[in-house]
Amino acid sequence: MSKTREQKLFSAAVLKTSFLLREALDSPAFKLVYPGVLRDLDLQDAEVDAFITANREAVEKAARGQPG
């Protein structure tokens, strides 16, 4: 079963936020993984940023590994 667009955005947002919370957006790991995730999920970084802004609390909880 394929993911909805919102599920894809949530996944990418959690990934980006997990690196953001560790202040690691400049890390080689993020720079290697994140562009591939965007490509595979057919998303743009600006869309992910907007999703994070609109859903910050849920995204940050998931990025910290806390139950939703």
Side-chain angles (χ1 to χ4, degrees):
M1 184 156 97
S2 63
K3 290 184 175 184
T4 66
R5 186 142 188 90
E6 185 164 334
Q7 289 170 324
K8 290 176 183 181
L9 282 164
F10 185 78
S11 297
V14 169
L15 174 67
K16 184 171 186 177
T17 300
S18 68
F19 279 90
L20 182 64
L21 291 171
R22 293 191 311 254
E23 299 180 8
L25 290 182
D26 289 330
S27 72
F30 180 75
K31 290 180 176 182
L32 178 69
V33 172
Y34 186 65
V37 168
L38 291 178
R39 181 193 64 241
D40 292 350
L41 297 179
D42 192 27
L43 299 172
Q44 299 296 316
D45 186 48
E47 293 176 283
V48 175
D49 287 342
F51 187 88
I52 292 168
T53 299
N55 301 279
R56 185 166 307 277
E57 186 176 342
V59 170
E60 285 186 2
K61 270 184 148 179
R64 288 185 174 105
Q66 299 170 344

